[in-house]
């Protein structure tokens, strides 16, 4: 079979490959030593990092100002500029995030399973760090620190491949983190910022098999697909969320209003926001016109199928839904709406168009809810509550490095335990196998 | 970034792609329905399959005879012919394996974590089937039935891509399993044998992203690498085991003899057999000559480094070890032997040459053992016992679909829970997120 191209860019395919591999080897060596670090040591390290970020916020803001100027000059839209921008208070938030992670339990060393075998062997499955974790992300420079905090707390080294628009901010942040590593007696190679001038560094990172244990792409579908197509190291797909709310014929009217409104409008740019509303035909007449009016009044554009449009009538303006609407993660004040004949039709729609992130049902009928929760194959299935709850902090994990929409290793919000693997320890006394 | 080639063979690149995708779609549809099957239903199904295999063993043996004749004509060596051969008693063993799996607990539905959140939301993480699992394997036709049994018990559909040398045997076996599926009211597409005429079907299977949830390659390093390089669907690497035994200076002599002998000679063709022996220099003189003699007498060829050869002297014949020996999984009556200065030198050797399968230490020294178990990064780390224990049945899992040597999702022996994923269930009462 042909070897995969180590990069997506036709020109300069091998530019910098050695640099990435050297960084990965450095990270691997540092990780091997760091795997045995105790919780006390790691928490002290993270708190020292938080202190240093606060103390040196001037450097960070200066670097960020250069990124912002370059971005403005290149015509970056205002909303994206805001994502890129750091302020004194945003730096303080980032530092406070590190302190929160320091306060979380350390997953390393946890005994997952254990038993004494009939022959007297003592068997334990314990959590250990993964080793070297790569994060490929877009936009916000705060991800640089958040990702470093979570991977370090779980005992790993991290290779960060951020966006070129944030390169000066990221360089300042990582330089501060590395200074603290050295001052604390650790290898600076536990946190490395990879070059980001072109796409090729992503290719080198995701094909560094044997050096990198996991790559997590955080960003849009384009970034994630590119990584998955090219990767030979294990990848966890995150974050694409075409989430559905199904309003059953046994739905409570008030709960429906609360849930649909919150799922769609609480924050439209996040992956757990609802993108499609499916309404059972038996309650469409009573529920949909009022709901549509309320949503339209808060600024939601409704993309309605024929039956939904007819039911809504003059209650609110609607746009006819096209086949493409069912597959679109709007991330905006848009909502696709369809009327369905049954829960099974709703589930079939979800199976065809969903991305396996989060789907909600609003219903008071136990049998229908049971059928829906059993049969819908998504990371999270929500009953009578907003899709917005699919989130590491909301789930009580204290933090989150992403929301996995794949089935292997981690599914749903990923926090510290998801950044570890396990090891079997087998203790005997000269035992041999017959 | 460029799309991966869907196949490794230059000619006929797309031959049969549609056939594989159609099989995957059929499996996916069948799996969606089967995910809700109860344990009772699945156990009844597996026992009916066992009955049918026993009842129709004549058909199986006839088909196997044709495979054997073709293999003999093509000059297959005797040892491989024996792996291919089925007999009345081997078919009975395969059937009995299905009954064993029927008797194991069903992982589906198990609550892994659960809590009531401060806002009253009820949160549960429950085990659910993966969906469609592909198995790519070589040699033995019994794997066909074993793999089908484990994937069905865990609620999945299976796509089997066996070796062309066993195609008639595999066809007979799968045809019987599918007959039982239909008689039991299930879709026959829960178990599908894929074409195996050339390598291309493997390429189509491992790039069927969105249709196949997991591919497990079972076979040699060549097969595994080919699958990993080409795959865009998640893969779990299995089975390559360059296992080490480290004999510490605080090793007990009798335990050393037992463990080394068992780890090397119990069964040499399996992945948990020891391939390299590392002996601390302080006990080399007292332990190594006798141990080497004993191993040589049972037919083991020793590939010794300079110091080991010098220490063994005339006690046993040795071959000088080359650099390549340290990286070789012999799977034969060969053992590489080196003398090391310290536990840290042993661990460095293991880190450089090991495959992360199983490493053992023989030592009575608690601090050394603690350092070794903490720092050696392998699926299993064994203290004062044989490496041969790394096995699903030995670990009390009742069965095994392979031994994962990677860190994501499953590490070490994989049984039924490792063939599932999880889903978060969130129950509320009209809850919205502030």
């Amino acid at each position: 079979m042909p070897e995969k191209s180590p990069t997506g860019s036709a020109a300069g395919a091998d530019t910098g490959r050695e640099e990435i591999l050297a960084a990965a080897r450095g990270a691997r060596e540092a990780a091997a030593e760091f795997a045995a670090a105790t919780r006390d040591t790691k928490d002290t390290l993270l708190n020292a990092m938080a202190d240093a970020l606060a103390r040196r916020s001037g450097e960070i803001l200066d670097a960020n100002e250069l990124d912002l100027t370059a971005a403005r000059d290149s015509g970056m839209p205002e909303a994206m500029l805001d994502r890129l921008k750091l302020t004194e208070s945003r730096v303080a938030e980032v530092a406070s995030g590190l302190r929160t992670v320091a306060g979380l339990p350390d997953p390393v060393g946890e005994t997952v399973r254990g038993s004494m075998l009939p022959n007297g062997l003592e068997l334990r499955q314990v959590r250990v760090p993964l080793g070297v974790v790569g994060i490929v992300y877009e936009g916000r420079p705060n991800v640089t620190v958040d990702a470093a905090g979570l991977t370090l707390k779980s005992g790993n080294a991290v290779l960060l491949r951020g966006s070129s628009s944030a390169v000066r901010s990221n360089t300042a942040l990582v330089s501060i983190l590395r200074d603290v590593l050295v001052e604390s007696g650790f290898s600076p190679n536990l946190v490395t910022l990879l070059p980001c001038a072109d796409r090729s560094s992503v290719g080198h990172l995701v094909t560094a098999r044997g050096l990198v244990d996991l790559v997590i792409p955080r960003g849009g579908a384009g970034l994630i697909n590119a990584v998955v197509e090219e990767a030979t190291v294990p990848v966890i797909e995150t974050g694409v969320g075409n989430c559905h709310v199904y309003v059953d014929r046994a739905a409570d009217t008030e709960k429906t209003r609360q849930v649909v409104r919150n799922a769609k409008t609480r924050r439209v740019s996040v992956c757990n926001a609802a993108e499609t509303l499916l309404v059972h035909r038996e309650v469409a007449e009573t529920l949909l016109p009022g709901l549509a009016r309320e949503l339209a009044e808060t600024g939601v554009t409704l993309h309605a199928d024929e039956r939904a449009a007819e039911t809504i009538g003059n209650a609110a303006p609607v746009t006819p839904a096209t086949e493409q609407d069912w597959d679109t993660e709007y991330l905006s004040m848009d909502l696709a709406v369809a009327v369905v004949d049954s829960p099974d039709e709703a589930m079939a729609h979800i199976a065809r168009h969903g991305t396996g992130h989060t789907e909600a049902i609003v219903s008071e009928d136990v049998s229908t809810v049971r059928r829906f929760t059993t049969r819908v194959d998504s990371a999270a299935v929500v009953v009578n509550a907003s899709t917005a709850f699919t989130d590491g902090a909301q789930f009580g994990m204290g933090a989150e490095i992403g929301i996995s929409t794949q089935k292997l290793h981690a599914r749903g919000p990923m926090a510290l335990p998801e950044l570890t693997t396990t090891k079997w320890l087998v203790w005997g006394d000269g035992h041999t196998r017959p």
Side-chain angles (χ1 to χ4, degrees), chain A residues 272-287:
Chain A
N272 58 27
E275 307 291 11
T276 297
L277 173 67
L278 302 168
V279 181
H280 193 288
R281 67 177 158 80
E282 290 182 30
V283 292
E285 296 254 355
T286 52
L287 272 177

Side-chain angles (χ1 to χ4, degrees), chain A residues 27-112:
Chain A
R28 187 141 210 89
E29 207 169 298
E33 191 59 37
F34 192 60
T38 62
R39 173 173 178 179
D40 282 347
T41 318
K42 291 185 286 190
D43 292 352
T44 305
L45 173 69
L46 294 187
N47 286 322
M49 285 177 165
D51 293 343
L53 290 174
R55 199 173 57 242
R56 294 169 63 179
S57 63
E59 288 169 50
I60 301 167
L61 297 181
D62 288 350
N64 186 246
E65 196 48 51
L66 296 175
D67 278 338
L68 285 169
T69 307
R72 245 181 243 111
D73 290 351
S74 75
M76 185 183 276
E78 204 52 47
M80 282 181 71
L81 283 174
D82 184 62
R83 289 164 57 95
L84 181 56
K85 190 181 173 65
L86 290 174
T87 59
E88 198 75 50
S89 84
R90 282 185 182 179
V91 172
E93 264 173 49
V94 165
S96 141
L98 283 179
R99 293 189 212 282
T100 302
V101 172
L104 294 174
D106 187 347
V108 174
E110 187 199 338
T111 300
V112 179

